[in-house]
């Protein structure tokens, strides 16, 4: 799918807090956080929905997505306090800690197919690894957080 909304491309001198989608063709698309962007994955597509529009990108065309101009102070915590995550040094596993009972941790391939899913219970950490999977890119999702892992 091709993004049909171009007004979200911002100038480099814009200091607004934003979500940035980095495409493999070198294009960067910006979504102002004031527009409340929500990301979701399915059928090999990254969908970003704001309070004014919805845009979809083929995951195969997405290099990464990041945040820009986020100002961290002592008063603001950027990660939810109910859980934390850590990606291992090899980049092929992610561990979620302090999850609420019933929280789901899911692993998807680039086509959006659910490969595995874990349910948190008793504050036990959940680790998802792609070490023994085929080479490729995978997405791990928990609540509103998504992590892209790659096995070269």
């Amino acid at each position: 799918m091709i993004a049909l909304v171009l007004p979200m491309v911002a100038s480099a001198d814009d200091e607004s807090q934003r979500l940035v989608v980095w495409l493999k063709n070198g294009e960067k698309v910006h979504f102002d956080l004031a527009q409340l962007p929500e990301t979701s994955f399915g059928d090999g597509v990254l969908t970003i929905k704001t309070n004014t529009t919805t845009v979809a990108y083929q995951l195969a065309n997405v290099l990464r997505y990041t945040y820009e101009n986020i100002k961290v102070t002592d008063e603001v915590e950027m990660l939810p306090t109910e859980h934390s995550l850590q990606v291992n040094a090899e980049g092929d596993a992610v561990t979620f800690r302090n999850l609420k009972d019933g929280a789901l941790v899911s692993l998807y391939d680039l086509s959006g197919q659910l490969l595995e899913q874990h349910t948190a219970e008793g504050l036990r950490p959940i680790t998802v690894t792609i070490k023994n999977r085929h080479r490729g890119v995978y997405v791990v999702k928990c609540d509103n957080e998504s992590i892209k892992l790659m096995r070269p």
Side-chain angles (χ1 to χ4, degrees):
M1 291 186 185
I2 298 175
L4 299 176
V5 181
L6 297 177
M8 288 173 271
V9 176
S11 65
D13 60 348
D14 184 0
E15 292 297 320
S16 64
Q17 295 179 334
R18 57 191 176 214
L19 168 68
V20 182
V21 178
W22 302 70
L23 301 174
K24 289 183 179 178
N25 67 6
E27 182 182 357
K28 285 174 41 177
V29 183
H30 305 260
F31 298 87
D32 191 329
L33 291 187
Q35 296 286 315
L36 305 173
E38 295 179 13
T39 59
S40 62
F41 298 91
D43 297 325
V45 175
L46 163 64
T47 302
I48 300 175
K49 180 179 178 183
T50 70
N51 54 12
T52 59
T53 191
T54 300
V55 183
Y57 302 96
Q58 290 293 323
L59 282 174
N61 297 330
V62 175
L63 182 62
R64 67 180 184 263
Y65 65 96
T66 60
Y67 293 90
E68 286 185 349
N69 302 322
I70 303 297
K71 303 195 180 27
V72 180
T73 66
D74 290 339
E75 296 86 36
V76 177
E77 291 190 25
M78 296 309 296
L79 292 175
T81 57
E82 60 265 11
H83 68 272
S84 63
L85 63 91
Q86 179 179 16
V87 178
N88 73 345
E90 292 78 29
D92 61 4
V94 61
T95 300
F96 291 85
R97 290 184 172 77
N98 302 322
L99 294 168
K100 292 181 183 177
D101 280 346
L104 296 177
V105 177
S106 307
L107 176 66
Y108 298 90
D109 65 14
L110 270 185
S111 72
Q113 179 179 353
L114 177 64
L115 301 175
E116 61 184 75
Q117 190 167 57
H118 306 273
T119 304
E121 56 184 64
L123 294 177
R124 282 186 281 239
I126 294 176
T127 299
V128 175
T129 182
I130 60 170
K131 184 176 184 176
N132 296 321
R133 296 199 174 269
H134 296 289
R135 297 186 193 294
V137 178
Y138 298 86
V139 176
V140 181
K141 184 171 180 354
C142 179
D143 295 332
N144 293 325
E145 296 184 69
S146 299
I147 306 297
K148 193 173 183 183
L149 300 176
M150 185 173 84
R151 184 162 186 276

